[in-house]
């Protein structure tokens, strides 16, 4: 059970994800839920149909809360071509769901390859399919990734940690301002 949550557009790699799913063959028990809307939805639906995947790709649309979908998923995939630090990855980490993402700077801020998730090259459906297969065939490895990622998000991105970091930054800036005024 593969999950994607985000805007449905080419630059988010949605078509690559559907092509990766196609690598498993028509009879495989690998399914994809796409949360979100956007300009590539029609193209993604057509690609799913052309690859014979309409029974395995479910277009959910925009949802107010992805938590229920994370709970029923085996992996979250973010195949973007451009990304900041994606909150959806942190949400998956907190939910204990392993993540596959493209090796972009913002995603690499969160995912340490083979420790807290898997990184794949941009625009590479075959590498994406290989990473999905690895998660599927190695549930122990997937569990280890999810556990490590959950620890990371709790340590680095918890509300308490971020409030502490903001407070320290604010104090530092105030001190610099006081020094300039003296």
């Amino acid at each position: 059970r593969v999950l994607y949550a985000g805007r449905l557009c080419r630059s988010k790699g949605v078509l690559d994800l559907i092509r990766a799913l196609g690598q498993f063959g028509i009879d495989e028990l690998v399914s994809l839920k796409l949360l979100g809307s956007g300009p590539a939805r029609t193209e993604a639906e057509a690609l799913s149909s052309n690859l014979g995947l309409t029974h395995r790709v479910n277009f959910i649309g925009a949802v107010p809360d992805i938590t229920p979908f994370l709970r029923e998923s085996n992996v979250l995939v973010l195949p973007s071509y451009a990304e900041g630090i994606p909150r959806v990855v942190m949400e998956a980490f907190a939910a204990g769901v392993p993540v596959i993402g493209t090796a972009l700077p913002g995603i690499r801020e969160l995912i340490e390859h083979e420790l807290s998730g898997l990184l794949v090259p941009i625009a590479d459906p075959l590498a994406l399919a290989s990473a999905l297969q690895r998660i599927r065939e190695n549930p122990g490895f997937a569990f280890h990734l999810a556990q490590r990622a959950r620890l990371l998000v709790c340590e680095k991105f918890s509300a308490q940690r971020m409030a502490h970091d903001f407070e320290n930054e604010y104090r530092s800036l105030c001190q610099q301002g006081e020094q300039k005024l003296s």
Side-chain angles (χ1 to χ4, degrees):
R1 295 176 311 257
V2 180
L3 180 66
Y4 168 86
R7 190 158 158 72
L8 301 183
C9 59
R10 286 175 166 256
S11 65
K12 290 289 190 173
V14 175
L15 302 176
D16 294 333
L17 180 53
I18 293 169
R19 287 183 185 101
L21 191 70
Q23 297 298 312
F24 288 94
I26 293 173
D27 297 324
E28 288 287 336
L29 298 175
V30 177
S31 63
L32 169 63
K33 286 189 178 179
L34 295 164
L35 305 182
S37 60
R41 179 173 177 150
T42 302
E43 189 177 4
E45 288 172 335
L47 179 60
S48 296
S49 178
N50 291 342
L51 295 175
L53 302 173
T54 52
H55 64 289
R56 291 180 27 218
V57 179
N58 191 352
F59 292 85
I60 305 294
V63 297
D65 181 12
I66 70 166
T67 306
F69 295 95
L70 284 168
R71 287 190 185 124
E72 65 184 30
S73 297
N74 299 108
V75 62
L76 174 90
V77 180
L78 187 59
S80 292
Y81 297 2
E83 197 72 48
I85 296 179
R87 188 164 68 178
V88 70
V89 171
M90 289 188 266
E91 290 174 303
F93 283 3
V97 176
V99 177
I100 299 169
T102 45
L104 297 169
I107 295 174
R108 286 193 320 256
E109 279 287 317
L110 299 172
I111 297 176
E112 194 172 344
H113 185 59
E114 297 191 348
L115 291 176
S116 60
L118 294 177
L119 294 169
V120 296
I122 298 168
D124 191 339
L126 292 177
L128 195 50
S130 178
L132 285 167
Q133 187 70 19
R134 189 167 178 201
I135 294 291
R136 182 173 177 240
E137 290 178 350
N138 300 291
F141 176 65
F143 179 76
H144 171 75
L145 291 176
Q147 276 193 313
R148 176 90 178 201
R150 187 169 165 79
L151 285 173
L152 172 87
V153 79
C154 289
E155 289 172 6
K156 289 178 103 174
F157 299 101
S158 70
Q160 296 83 5
R161 171 65 187 263
M162 292 183 78
H164 180 265
D165 290 349
F166 281 127
E167 181 181 356
N168 287 341
E169 182 66 21
Y170 181 73
R171 287 181 192 278
S172 173
L173 291 170
C174 286
Q175 287 173 351
Q176 290 173 17
E178 288 173 1
Q179 290 171 358
K180 286 182 180 179
L181 292 174
S182 324

